Amino acid sequence: MTPISHAELDAATEVVRRHVPPTPQYEWPLLSEAAGSAVVVKHENHTPVGAFKVRGGLVYLERLVRERPEVRGVISATRGNHGQSLAFAGGAYGRDVVVYVPHGNSVEKNAAMRALGAEVVVHGQDFQEAREEAARVAGERGLEAVPPFHRDLVLGVATYVLELFDDAGPLDTVYVPVGMGSGINAMIAVRDLLGLDTAIVGVISDAAPATRLSVESGQVVTTESASTFVDGVACRVPDAESIVAMITGAARVIEVSDDAAAEAMRVLFRTTHNVAEPAGAIALAGLLSESLELRGERSAFTLCGGNVDTAKFEAVLAGTTPVP
């Protein structure tokens, strides 16, 4: 991916600001106490769709309407937040949106996408099967296929990263959940644009290790399954361009267990009274898994979304880890 310029980031911020105000970032005393060091939380759960992805969808659709006005709509695959992003942006820019999801996907995310105006199609046993089918039928339906990783999506997400670095003060380390990679790629790109030395750490589930395997091997490594309840990081076929950026720009990619992600959801609720979906809490799980020497005196993480099904959150608060 080519570097992001200041002009591009300013333009993307202007697009996002039409619909999304800056999200807050706080040092919650109880959370820092639990971590044993200062921790800043970037609250991307406070966007109009409850997740950071909305920014990328807006930037993607704005360019589509401006440069490809003949395109009547888009199609993509999602576990929920990417689909909500496209649905929200499709409504803003007057374009049809079709979203493919796998069987067993979040009931409430599916409902939210429909409420935003998207057509939701259930297909396949996991994200990759839904993704392949969406790409296959795009031409048949006369729709533009939106990949899960694209420079415009990264550019949109980068607007929240700029907010974080502008307002949070010096940070030793930032922990970022990694699905297809728009979040961590945006974090690396803005860190480099601003000339900072903050370490960027990607966090994934140990039940979906494809990203770590790919970064460590220097090329895309796929896995047969990604059986984790942390649906936002359930990736078994990483994007090659995204992996290259992580290899060159991330300090490391670490894995945590699903149990650790569930515990992080409980910690967040107890210390901040924010609801986090599993992917929204997994970065905190990664932070808590590392020593103070690794993460530094002042660290941050992205609470990337709060869209968790009620029944699943009830189970987590009851002390269990839901089955994928």
Side-chain angles (χ1 to χ4, degrees), residues 35-269:
S37 61
V39 177
V40 176
V41 185
K42 179 57 172 171
H43 283 284
E44 286 295 284
N45 56 315
H46 290 175
T47 74
V49 303
F52 78 110
K53 293 278 190 180
V54 68
R55 299 168 182 264
L58 286 165
V59 171
Y60 188 99
L61 264 292
E62 190 275 338
R63 188 188 299 276
L64 181 149
V65 168
R66 178 164 42 86
E67 297 183 354
R68 305 183 297 282
E70 73 281 0
V71 176
R72 66 175 181 83
V74 297
I75 185 170
S76 194
T78 186
R79 291 306 302 264
N81 290 335
H82 173 59
Q84 286 191 76
S85 170
L86 293 177
F88 184 90
Y93 287 100
R95 292 298 185 270
D96 295 335
V97 176
V98 178
V99 179
Y100 274 65
V101 301
H103 289 279
N105 199 55
S106 163
V107 173
E108 293 175 24
K109 286 180 181 178
N110 289 354
M113 287 185 283
R114 292 189 179 102
L116 287 164
E119 176 188 344
V120 178
V121 181
V122 180
H123 177 90
Q125 297 308 306
D126 62 12
F127 167 75
Q128 187 62 27
E129 291 185 2
R131 176 186 178 185
E132 291 169 1
E133 181 66 7
R136 187 188 70 79
V137 304
E140 295 177 4
R141 301 199 58 172
L143 301 170
E144 179 169 302
V146 181
F149 183 85
H150 186 278
R151 191 173 186 276
D152 281 346
L153 301 178
V154 175
L155 183 56
V157 172
T159 63
Y160 99 68
V161 181
L162 183 63
E163 294 169 16
L164 173 66
F165 284 132
D166 277 351
D167 296 339
L171 296 168
D172 296 307
T173 309
V174 178
Y175 293 80
V176 190
V178 183
M180 294 304 296
S182 62
I184 192 168
N185 274 257
M187 192 70 68
I188 291 167
V190 177
R191 186 268 317 267
D192 292 349
L193 179 67
L194 299 178
L196 303 175
D197 59 3
T198 304
I200 310 299
V201 179
V203 187
I204 62 173
S205 167
D206 61 10
T211 296
R212 178 189 59 78
L213 295 171
S214 298
V215 169
E216 290 180 356
S217 69
Q219 60 185 352
V220 171
V221 175
T222 65
T223 57
E224 290 299 316
S225 67
S227 185
T228 171
F229 99 104
V230 189
D231 53 353
V233 304
C235 168
R236 62 180 178 87
V237 182
D239 180 271
E241 191 175 17
S242 174
I243 292 298
V244 168
M246 282 184 259
I247 291 170
T248 59
R252 54 195 173 276
V253 174
I254 62 175
E255 297 176 358
V256 298
S257 67
D258 278 16
D259 286 343
E263 175 60 18
M265 292 171 71
R266 291 187 284 269
V267 170
L268 270 168
F269 190 72

